[in-house]
Amino acid sequence: IVVADALNCQKETAKAIVEGKADYLLGVKDNQETLKKDIEDYVQDVSLRETMDTCESCKENRGRTAFSTCDIHWLYGRQEWAGLTCIGAIHSHKQRRNDR
């Protein structure tokens, strides 16, 4: 599996990875504005988020929740991303001392 940051989140990169018989996990940021917005909108919809797989971790006063789904039939342009089978998002949060 190839893991890369948003700089490498390109359709050509995904295609090259799949052609090399590997899987990928690419970070999505503003360089893929439409894809980023579509994923954010999906994850921010409470009813859709409740159907996603989740995993939570906490360490001291910091936490993360990871969301993922293979339900991407609705994702515009998904066929342009070679091997795309799922999407996900990570929500990071910090708990202040007074919040406990």
Side-chain angles (χ1 to χ4, degrees), residues 15-43:
K15 182 179 177 187
I17 293 168
V18 170
E19 287 175 352
K21 308 288 188 227
D23 295 318
Y24 60 84
L25 175 64
L26 303 177
V28 179
K29 289 194 176 174
D30 292 333
N31 64 332
Q32 296 294 339
E33 190 174 333
T34 302
L35 180 60
K36 179 185 173 199
K37 182 173 180 348
D38 288 347
I39 293 170
E40 287 175 342
D41 289 349
Y42 189 95
V43 174

PDB file of all heavy atoms in Angstrom, residues 15-43:
ATOM      1  N   LYS A  15      -3.352   6.118 -10.815  1.00  0.00           N
ATOM      2  CA  LYS A  15      -3.267   5.178 -11.934  1.00  0.00           C
ATOM      3  C   LYS A  15      -1.931   4.434 -11.930  1.00  0.00           C
ATOM      4  O   LYS A  15      -1.876   3.217 -12.111  1.00  0.00           O
ATOM      5  CB  LYS A  15      -3.440   5.925 -13.258  1.00  0.00           C
ATOM      6  CG  LYS A  15      -3.418   5.040 -14.465  1.00  0.00           C
ATOM      7  CD  LYS A  15      -3.609   5.835 -15.741  1.00  0.00           C
ATOM      8  CE  LYS A  15      -3.520   4.919 -16.954  1.00  0.00           C
ATOM      9  NZ  LYS A  15      -3.540   5.658 -18.207  1.00  0.00           N
ATOM     10  N   ALA A  16      -0.843   5.158 -11.707  1.00  0.00           N
ATOM     11  CA  ALA A  16       0.485   4.533 -11.690  1.00  0.00           C
ATOM     12  C   ALA A  16       0.616   3.524 -10.552  1.00  0.00           C
ATOM     13  O   ALA A  16       1.206   2.448 -10.729  1.00  0.00           O
ATOM     14  CB  ALA A  16       1.569   5.608 -11.573  1.00  0.00           C
ATOM     15  N   ILE A  17       0.042   3.837  -9.415  1.00  0.00           N
ATOM     16  CA  ILE A  17       0.102   2.924  -8.271  1.00  0.00           C
ATOM     17  C   ILE A  17      -0.667   1.640  -8.581  1.00  0.00           C
ATOM     18  O   ILE A  17      -0.173   0.534  -8.346  1.00  0.00           O
ATOM     19  CB  ILE A  17      -0.439   3.614  -7.000  1.00  0.00           C
ATOM     20  CG1 ILE A  17       0.507   4.749  -6.581  1.00  0.00           C
ATOM     21  CG2 ILE A  17      -0.633   2.606  -5.877  1.00  0.00           C
ATOM     22  CD1 ILE A  17      -0.069   5.670  -5.521  1.00  0.00           C
ATOM     23  N   VAL A  18      -1.868   1.793  -9.118  1.00  0.00           N
ATOM     24  CA  VAL A  18      -2.687   0.622  -9.456  1.00  0.00           C
ATOM     25  C   VAL A  18      -2.015  -0.211 -10.546  1.00  0.00           C
ATOM     26  O   VAL A  18      -1.993  -1.448 -10.477  1.00  0.00           O
ATOM     27  CB  VAL A  18      -4.107   1.056  -9.878  1.00  0.00           C
ATOM     28  CG1 VAL A  18      -4.899  -0.105 -10.455  1.00  0.00           C
ATOM     29  CG2 VAL A  18      -4.845   1.654  -8.684  1.00  0.00           C
ATOM     30  N   GLU A  19      -1.430   0.448 -11.546  1.00  0.00           N
ATOM     31  CA  GLU A  19      -0.714  -0.281 -12.591  1.00  0.00           C
ATOM     32  C   GLU A  19       0.486  -1.031 -12.030  1.00  0.00           C
ATOM     33  O   GLU A  19       0.886  -2.058 -12.573  1.00  0.00           O
ATOM     34  CB  GLU A  19      -0.275   0.681 -13.697  1.00  0.00           C
ATOM     35  CG  GLU A  19      -1.426   1.143 -14.567  1.00  0.00           C
ATOM     36  CD  GLU A  19      -1.031   2.194 -15.596  1.00  0.00           C
ATOM     37  OE1 GLU A  19       0.116   2.695 -15.555  1.00  0.00           O
ATOM     38  OE2 GLU A  19      -1.889   2.520 -16.437  1.00  0.00           O
ATOM     39  N   GLY A  20       1.044  -0.533 -10.938  1.00  0.00           N
ATOM     40  CA  GLY A  20       2.148  -1.205 -10.263  1.00  0.00           C
ATOM     41  C   GLY A  20       1.681  -2.290  -9.295  1.00  0.00           C
ATOM     42  O   GLY A  20       2.460  -2.795  -8.502  1.00  0.00           O
ATOM     43  N   LYS A  21       0.392  -2.615  -9.362  1.00  0.00           N
ATOM     44  CA  LYS A  21      -0.206  -3.696  -8.558  1.00  0.00           C
ATOM     45  C   LYS A  21      -0.221  -3.394  -7.060  1.00  0.00           C
ATOM     46  O   LYS A  21      -0.088  -4.277  -6.226  1.00  0.00           O
ATOM     47  CB  LYS A  21       0.496  -5.035  -8.800  1.00  0.00           C
ATOM     48  CG  LYS A  21       0.610  -5.438 -10.253  1.00  0.00           C
ATOM     49  CD  LYS A  21      -0.721  -5.860 -10.809  1.00  0.00           C
ATOM     50  CE  LYS A  21      -0.518  -6.447 -12.199  1.00  0.00           C
ATOM     51  NZ  LYS A  21      -1.417  -5.959 -13.176  1.00  0.00           N
ATOM     52  N   ALA A  22      -0.402  -2.130  -6.717  1.00  0.00           N
ATOM     53  CA  ALA A  22      -0.468  -1.742  -5.306  1.00  0.00           C
ATOM     54  C   ALA A  22      -1.786  -1.018  -5.037  1.00  0.00           C
ATOM     55  O   ALA A  22      -2.519  -0.658  -5.961  1.00  0.00           O
ATOM     56  CB  ALA A  22       0.706  -0.834  -4.948  1.00  0.00           C
ATOM     57  N   ASP A  23      -2.078  -0.826  -3.778  1.00  0.00           N
ATOM     58  CA  ASP A  23      -3.215  -0.029  -3.337  1.00  0.00           C
ATOM     59  C   ASP A  23      -2.685   1.306  -2.844  1.00  0.00           C
ATOM     60  O   ASP A  23      -1.478   1.462  -2.604  1.00  0.00           O
ATOM     61  CB  ASP A  23      -3.962  -0.736  -2.206  1.00  0.00           C
ATOM     62  CG  ASP A  23      -4.609  -2.028  -2.654  1.00  0.00           C
ATOM     63  OD1 ASP A  23      -5.185  -2.045  -3.758  1.00  0.00           O
ATOM     64  OD2 ASP A  23      -4.540  -3.013  -1.903  1.00  0.00           O
ATOM     65  N   TYR A  24      -3.588   2.260  -2.649  1.00  0.00           N
ATOM     66  CA  TYR A  24      -3.142   3.575  -2.202  1.00  0.00           C
ATOM     67  C   TYR A  24      -4.077   4.184  -1.170  1.00  0.00           C
ATOM     68  O   TYR A  24      -5.253   3.857  -1.093  1.00  0.00           O
ATOM     69  CB  TYR A  24      -2.982   4.533  -3.384  1.00  0.00           C
ATOM     70  CG  TYR A  24      -4.243   4.793  -4.194  1.00  0.00           C
ATOM     71  CD1 TYR A  24      -5.164   5.752  -3.797  1.00  0.00           C
ATOM     72  CD2 TYR A  24      -4.488   4.093  -5.378  1.00  0.00           C
ATOM     73  CE1 TYR A  24      -6.305   6.000  -4.548  1.00  0.00           C
ATOM     74  CE2 TYR A  24      -5.616   4.339  -6.134  1.00  0.00           C
ATOM     75  CZ  TYR A  24      -6.531   5.298  -5.718  1.00  0.00           C
ATOM     76  OH  TYR A  24      -7.648   5.549  -6.463  1.00  0.00           O
ATOM     77  N   LEU A  25      -3.503   5.084  -0.402  1.00  0.00           N
ATOM     78  CA  LEU A  25      -4.220   5.937   0.537  1.00  0.00           C
ATOM     79  C   LEU A  25      -3.654   7.331   0.323  1.00  0.00           C
ATOM     80  O   LEU A  25      -2.483   7.582   0.629  1.00  0.00           O
ATOM     81  CB  LEU A  25      -3.998   5.474   1.978  1.00  0.00           C
ATOM     82  CG  LEU A  25      -4.591   6.344   3.071  1.00  0.00           C
ATOM     83  CD1 LEU A  25      -6.109   6.371   2.975  1.00  0.00           C
ATOM     84  CD2 LEU A  25      -4.150   5.837   4.427  1.00  0.00           C
ATOM     85  N   LEU A  26      -4.460   8.213  -0.257  1.00  0.00           N
ATOM     86  CA  LEU A  26      -3.991   9.555  -0.595  1.00  0.00           C
ATOM     87  C   LEU A  26      -4.723  10.597   0.227  1.00  0.00           C
ATOM     88  O   LEU A  26      -5.951  10.562   0.330  1.00  0.00           O
ATOM     89  CB  LEU A  26      -4.217   9.838  -2.092  1.00  0.00           C
ATOM     90  CG  LEU A  26      -3.585   8.861  -3.077  1.00  0.00           C
ATOM     91  CD1 LEU A  26      -3.964   9.230  -4.505  1.00  0.00           C
ATOM     92  CD2 LEU A  26      -2.070   8.843  -2.918  1.00  0.00           C
ATOM     93  N   GLY A  27      -3.975  11.522   0.796  1.00  0.00           N
ATOM     94  CA  GLY A  27      -4.573  12.638   1.519  1.00  0.00           C
ATOM     95  C   GLY A  27      -5.172  13.620   0.530  1.00  0.00           C
ATOM     96  O   GLY A  27      -4.576  13.921  -0.499  1.00  0.00           O
ATOM     97  N   VAL A  28      -6.361  14.111   0.835  1.00  0.00           N
ATOM     98  CA  VAL A  28      -7.048  15.056  -0.052  1.00  0.00           C
ATOM     99  C   VAL A  28      -7.110  16.411   0.633  1.00  0.00           C
ATOM    100  O   VAL A  28      -7.556  16.524   1.768  1.00  0.00           O
ATOM    101  CB  VAL A  28      -8.486  14.576  -0.368  1.00  0.00           C
ATOM    102  CG1 VAL A  28      -9.198  15.566  -1.267  1.00  0.00           C
ATOM    103  CG2 VAL A  28      -8.466  13.197  -0.988  1.00  0.00           C
ATOM    104  N   LYS A  29      -6.647  17.427  -0.072  1.00  0.00           N
ATOM    105  CA  LYS A  29      -6.751  18.797   0.437  1.00  0.00           C
ATOM    106  C   LYS A  29      -7.207  19.699  -0.693  1.00  0.00           C
ATOM    107  O   LYS A  29      -7.843  19.249  -1.642  1.00  0.00           O
ATOM    108  CB  LYS A  29      -5.420  19.248   1.028  1.00  0.00           C
ATOM    109  CG  LYS A  29      -5.097  18.529   2.342  1.00  0.00           C
ATOM    110  CD  LYS A  29      -3.997  19.196   3.082  1.00  0.00           C
ATOM    111  CE  LYS A  29      -3.794  18.481   4.414  1.00  0.00           C
ATOM    112  NZ  LYS A  29      -2.631  18.993   5.117  1.00  0.00           N
ATOM    113  N   ASP A  30      -6.853  20.952  -0.632  1.00  0.00           N
ATOM    114  CA  ASP A  30      -7.368  21.944  -1.578  1.00  0.00           C
ATOM    115  C   ASP A  30      -6.925  21.742  -3.022  1.00  0.00           C
ATOM    116  O   ASP A  30      -7.520  22.326  -3.922  1.00  0.00           O
ATOM    117  CB  ASP A  30      -6.995  23.356  -1.115  1.00  0.00           C
ATOM    118  CG  ASP A  30      -7.733  23.743   0.160  1.00  0.00           C
ATOM    119  OD1 ASP A  30      -8.836  23.200   0.387  1.00  0.00           O
ATOM    120  OD2 ASP A  30      -7.213  24.577   0.923  1.00  0.00           O
ATOM    121  N   ASN A  31      -5.909  20.922  -3.263  1.00  0.00           N
ATOM    122  CA  ASN A  31      -5.496  20.706  -4.647  1.00  0.00           C
ATOM    123  C   ASN A  31      -6.507  19.841  -5.411  1.00  0.00           C
ATOM    124  O   ASN A  31      -6.456  19.760  -6.623  1.00  0.00           O
ATOM    125  CB  ASN A  31      -4.094  20.088  -4.726  1.00  0.00           C
ATOM    126  CG  ASN A  31      -4.021  18.711  -4.115  1.00  0.00           C
ATOM    127  OD1 ASN A  31      -4.771  18.364  -3.211  1.00  0.00           O
ATOM    128  ND2 ASN A  31      -3.107  17.905  -4.606  1.00  0.00           N
ATOM    129  N   GLN A  32      -7.430  19.215  -4.693  1.00  0.00           N
ATOM    130  CA  GLN A  32      -8.542  18.460  -5.292  1.00  0.00           C
ATOM    131  C   GLN A  32      -9.823  18.999  -4.654  1.00  0.00           C
ATOM    132  O   GLN A  32     -10.523  18.321  -3.903  1.00  0.00           O
ATOM    133  CB  GLN A  32      -8.378  16.953  -5.055  1.00  0.00           C
ATOM    134  CG  GLN A  32      -7.182  16.347  -5.712  1.00  0.00           C
ATOM    135  CD  GLN A  32      -7.274  16.372  -7.232  1.00  0.00           C
ATOM    136  OE1 GLN A  32      -8.339  16.478  -7.816  1.00  0.00           O
ATOM    137  NE2 GLN A  32      -6.119  16.283  -7.876  1.00  0.00           N
ATOM    138  N   GLU A  33     -10.112  20.251  -4.959  1.00  0.00           N
ATOM    139  CA  GLU A  33     -11.173  20.997  -4.277  1.00  0.00           C
ATOM    140  C   GLU A  33     -12.540  20.312  -4.333  1.00  0.00           C
ATOM    141  O   GLU A  33     -13.236  20.215  -3.325  1.00  0.00           O
ATOM    142  CB  GLU A  33     -11.267  22.396  -4.882  1.00  0.00           C
ATOM    143  CG  GLU A  33     -12.146  23.339  -4.114  1.00  0.00           C
ATOM    144  CD  GLU A  33     -12.090  24.748  -4.661  1.00  0.00           C
ATOM    145  OE1 GLU A  33     -11.074  25.143  -5.260  1.00  0.00           O
ATOM    146  OE2 GLU A  33     -13.083  25.453  -4.468  1.00  0.00           O
ATOM    147  N   THR A  34     -12.949  19.831  -5.501  1.00  0.00           N
ATOM    148  CA  THR A  34     -14.262  19.200  -5.629  1.00  0.00           C
ATOM    149  C   THR A  34     -14.313  17.897  -4.842  1.00  0.00           C
ATOM    150  O   THR A  34     -15.284  17.646  -4.111  1.00  0.00           O
ATOM    151  CB  THR A  34     -14.602  18.933  -7.112  1.00  0.00           C
ATOM    152  OG1 THR A  34     -14.565  20.181  -7.807  1.00  0.00           O
ATOM    153  CG2 THR A  34     -15.967  18.308  -7.264  1.00  0.00           C
ATOM    154  N   LEU A  35     -13.289  17.076  -4.962  1.00  0.00           N
ATOM    155  CA  LEU A  35     -13.233  15.815  -4.228  1.00  0.00           C
ATOM    156  C   LEU A  35     -13.261  16.076  -2.728  1.00  0.00           C
ATOM    157  O   LEU A  35     -14.004  15.432  -1.975  1.00  0.00           O
ATOM    158  CB  LEU A  35     -11.983  15.022  -4.620  1.00  0.00           C
ATOM    159  CG  LEU A  35     -11.776  13.676  -3.949  1.00  0.00           C
ATOM    160  CD1 LEU A  35     -12.927  12.726  -4.253  1.00  0.00           C
ATOM    161  CD2 LEU A  35     -10.446  13.068  -4.396  1.00  0.00           C
ATOM    162  N   LYS A  36     -12.484  17.040  -2.280  1.00  0.00           N
ATOM    163  CA  LYS A  36     -12.440  17.390  -0.854  1.00  0.00           C
ATOM    164  C   LYS A  36     -13.813  17.826  -0.368  1.00  0.00           C
ATOM    165  O   LYS A  36     -14.289  17.373   0.672  1.00  0.00           O
ATOM    166  CB  LYS A  36     -11.418  18.504  -0.612  1.00  0.00           C
ATOM    167  CG  LYS A  36     -11.346  18.939   0.832  1.00  0.00           C
ATOM    168  CD  LYS A  36     -10.406  20.118   0.998  1.00  0.00           C
ATOM    169  CE  LYS A  36     -10.492  20.640   2.419  1.00  0.00           C
ATOM    170  NZ  LYS A  36      -9.984  21.984   2.548  1.00  0.00           N
ATOM    171  N   LYS A  37     -14.460  18.696  -1.115  1.00  0.00           N
ATOM    172  CA  LYS A  37     -15.786  19.191  -0.704  1.00  0.00           C
ATOM    173  C   LYS A  37     -16.808  18.065  -0.676  1.00  0.00           C
ATOM    174  O   LYS A  37     -17.612  17.979   0.260  1.00  0.00           O
ATOM    175  CB  LYS A  37     -16.250  20.312  -1.621  1.00  0.00           C
ATOM    176  CG  LYS A  37     -17.607  20.881  -1.201  1.00  0.00           C
ATOM    177  CD  LYS A  37     -17.987  22.081  -1.993  1.00  0.00           C
ATOM    178  CE  LYS A  37     -19.324  22.677  -1.606  1.00  0.00           C
ATOM    179  NZ  LYS A  37     -20.209  21.979  -0.759  1.00  0.00           N
ATOM    180  N   ASP A  38     -16.785  17.187  -1.673  1.00  0.00           N
ATOM    181  CA  ASP A  38     -17.723  16.064  -1.700  1.00  0.00           C
ATOM    182  C   ASP A  38     -17.546  15.156  -0.485  1.00  0.00           C
ATOM    183  O   ASP A  38     -18.523  14.730   0.139  1.00  0.00           O
ATOM    184  CB  ASP A  38     -17.562  15.247  -2.986  1.00  0.00           C
ATOM    185  CG  ASP A  38     -18.092  15.961  -4.209  1.00  0.00           C
ATOM    186  OD1 ASP A  38     -18.805  16.977  -4.066  1.00  0.00           O
ATOM    187  OD2 ASP A  38     -17.780  15.503  -5.328  1.00  0.00           O
ATOM    188  N   ILE A  39     -16.306  14.867  -0.132  1.00  0.00           N
ATOM    189  CA  ILE A  39     -16.035  14.021   1.039  1.00  0.00           C
ATOM    190  C   ILE A  39     -16.459  14.738   2.315  1.00  0.00           C
ATOM    191  O   ILE A  39     -17.117  14.147   3.181  1.00  0.00           O
ATOM    192  CB  ILE A  39     -14.548  13.617   1.088  1.00  0.00           C
ATOM    193  CG1 ILE A  39     -14.223  12.695  -0.093  1.00  0.00           C
ATOM    194  CG2 ILE A  39     -14.220  12.933   2.419  1.00  0.00           C
ATOM    195  CD1 ILE A  39     -12.737  12.429  -0.274  1.00  0.00           C
ATOM    196  N   GLU A  40     -16.117  16.019   2.440  1.00  0.00           N
ATOM    197  CA  GLU A  40     -16.513  16.780   3.630  1.00  0.00           C
ATOM    198  C   GLU A  40     -18.033  16.828   3.780  1.00  0.00           C
ATOM    199  O   GLU A  40     -18.558  16.629   4.882  1.00  0.00           O
ATOM    200  CB  GLU A  40     -15.968  18.210   3.560  1.00  0.00           C
ATOM    201  CG  GLU A  40     -14.494  18.306   3.797  1.00  0.00           C
ATOM    202  CD  GLU A  40     -13.946  19.707   3.595  1.00  0.00           C
ATOM    203  OE1 GLU A  40     -14.613  20.557   2.955  1.00  0.00           O
ATOM    204  OE2 GLU A  40     -12.839  19.952   4.086  1.00  0.00           O
ATOM    205  N   ASP A  41     -18.735  17.095   2.694  1.00  0.00           N
ATOM    206  CA  ASP A  41     -20.199  17.156   2.748  1.00  0.00           C
ATOM    207  C   ASP A  41     -20.792  15.821   3.188  1.00  0.00           C
ATOM    208  O   ASP A  41     -21.724  15.780   3.992  1.00  0.00           O
ATOM    209  CB  ASP A  41     -20.778  17.559   1.387  1.00  0.00           C
ATOM    210  CG  ASP A  41     -20.530  19.010   1.038  1.00  0.00           C
ATOM    211  OD1 ASP A  41     -20.091  19.786   1.918  1.00  0.00           O
ATOM    212  OD2 ASP A  41     -20.758  19.374  -0.139  1.00  0.00           O
ATOM    213  N   TYR A  42     -20.247  14.741   2.670  1.00  0.00           N
ATOM    214  CA  TYR A  42     -20.737  13.412   3.039  1.00  0.00           C
ATOM    215  C   TYR A  42     -20.536  13.160   4.532  1.00  0.00           C
ATOM    216  O   TYR A  42     -21.454  12.758   5.238  1.00  0.00           O
ATOM    217  CB  TYR A  42     -20.008  12.347   2.216  1.00  0.00           C
ATOM    218  CG  TYR A  42     -20.578  10.957   2.361  1.00  0.00           C
ATOM    219  CD1 TYR A  42     -21.501  10.466   1.453  1.00  0.00           C
ATOM    220  CD2 TYR A  42     -20.178  10.116   3.400  1.00  0.00           C
ATOM    221  CE1 TYR A  42     -22.022   9.187   1.567  1.00  0.00           C
ATOM    222  CE2 TYR A  42     -20.696   8.835   3.526  1.00  0.00           C
ATOM    223  CZ  TYR A  42     -21.609   8.378   2.617  1.00  0.00           C
ATOM    224  OH  TYR A  42     -22.120   7.108   2.738  1.00  0.00           O
ATOM    225  N   VAL A  43     -19.332  13.422   5.008  1.00  0.00           N
ATOM    226  CA  VAL A  43     -18.999  13.142   6.411  1.00  0.00           C
ATOM    227  C   VAL A  43     -19.756  14.074   7.361  1.00  0.00           C
ATOM    228  O   VAL A  43     -20.100  13.690   8.473  1.00  0.00           O
ATOM    229  CB  VAL A  43     -17.474  13.235   6.636  1.00  0.00           C
ATOM    230  CG1 VAL A  43     -17.123  13.103   8.098  1.00  0.00           C
ATOM    231  CG2 VAL A  43     -16.769  12.154   5.829  1.00  0.00           C
TER     232      VAL A  43
END
